[in-house]
Amino acid sequence: MTISAELMARLLAAAVQFSGLPAINVADLPPVETVTAAALSAKMCPDRPGGCSSVAALFDTETYRIYLRDTLDLATPMDNSFLVHELVHVLQFKRYGDDYFSSCRKIVESEHQAYRAQNNYLGSEGIDWREGNLLRFMRCPPEEGEMQPHQSAASA
């Protein structure tokens, strides 16, 4: 699957518009590699790839590469919306660095922003569909120093 420079520029512009993150030059985008669903699952969940079989795309901060499932048809807005989602992660990485993805809370926050941009893109393309519905059920364990719900900030 070859992605034209024109399509990448259009999808990057959508990622910028719908995320509110600062634009970057198209030349600064990571390479995009197409992989099988099995290979993508193994990259996303190396310890249990079967649990990630529905993953369509992944931005890998360590290799600075976007991986797309080889069954996506980037001529369709539904499928290229996954690239918009990953481009939001690239923009986050460029803006905040790798530390932005360093905790459960930060990852959930980054996913909220990426799904919001993806869904707004879909809407702009006339597609009444929402990705990321399961994100609302994700819960992170308390972080160090964070008060538990049963704790109180007041002291005697």
Side-chain angles (χ1 to χ4, degrees):
M1 165 186 340
T2 304
I3 305 170
S4 72
E6 179 184 324
L7 178 61
M8 283 300 286
R10 188 169 66 80
L11 297 179
L12 176 60
V16 168
Q17 175 187 354
F18 295 122
S19 71
L21 290 164
I24 63 171
N25 192 307
V26 175
D28 293 331
L29 289 174
V32 177
E33 183 178 329
T34 57
V35 295
T36 64
L40 190 57
S41 294
K43 286 184 182 306
M44 183 74 172
C45 303
D47 297 331
R48 53 177 197 85
C52 292
S53 60
S54 66
V55 174
L58 166 70
F59 169 55
D60 185 341
T61 60
E62 289 180 21
T63 62
Y64 196 65
R65 183 173 300 268
I66 295 173
Y67 296 97
L68 294 177
R69 192 171 18 176
D70 61 1
T71 56
L72 294 179
D73 177 3
L74 295 183
T76 67
M78 185 68 211
D79 283 5
N80 66 33
S81 75
F82 295 106
L83 188 50
V84 171
H85 179 109
E86 298 311 323
L87 289 171
V88 171
H89 290 315
V90 172
L91 295 171
Q92 292 166 338
F93 180 76
K94 287 292 200 174
R95 173 74 188 255
Y96 304 113
D98 196 39
D99 195 48
Y100 189 69
F101 307 95
S102 64
S103 73
C104 178
R105 288 214 195 298
K106 290 178 181 179
I107 290 169
V108 170
E109 180 181 312
S110 77
E111 287 299 329
H112 275 291
Q113 186 176 32
Y115 278 122
R116 195 168 35 255
Q118 180 180 6
N119 290 332
N120 285 331
Y121 169 75
L122 287 167
S124 76
E125 293 290 320
I127 298 173
D128 186 22
W129 181 262
R130 296 292 170 257
E131 288 291 331
N133 291 324
L134 293 178
L135 192 59
R136 63 189 160 149
F137 299 109
M138 288 185 69
R139 299 289 179 259
C140 294
E143 293 181 7
E144 190 173 318
E146 186 175 77
M147 292 180 20
Q148 302 297 312
H150 65 275
Q151 293 176 321
S152 171
S155 58

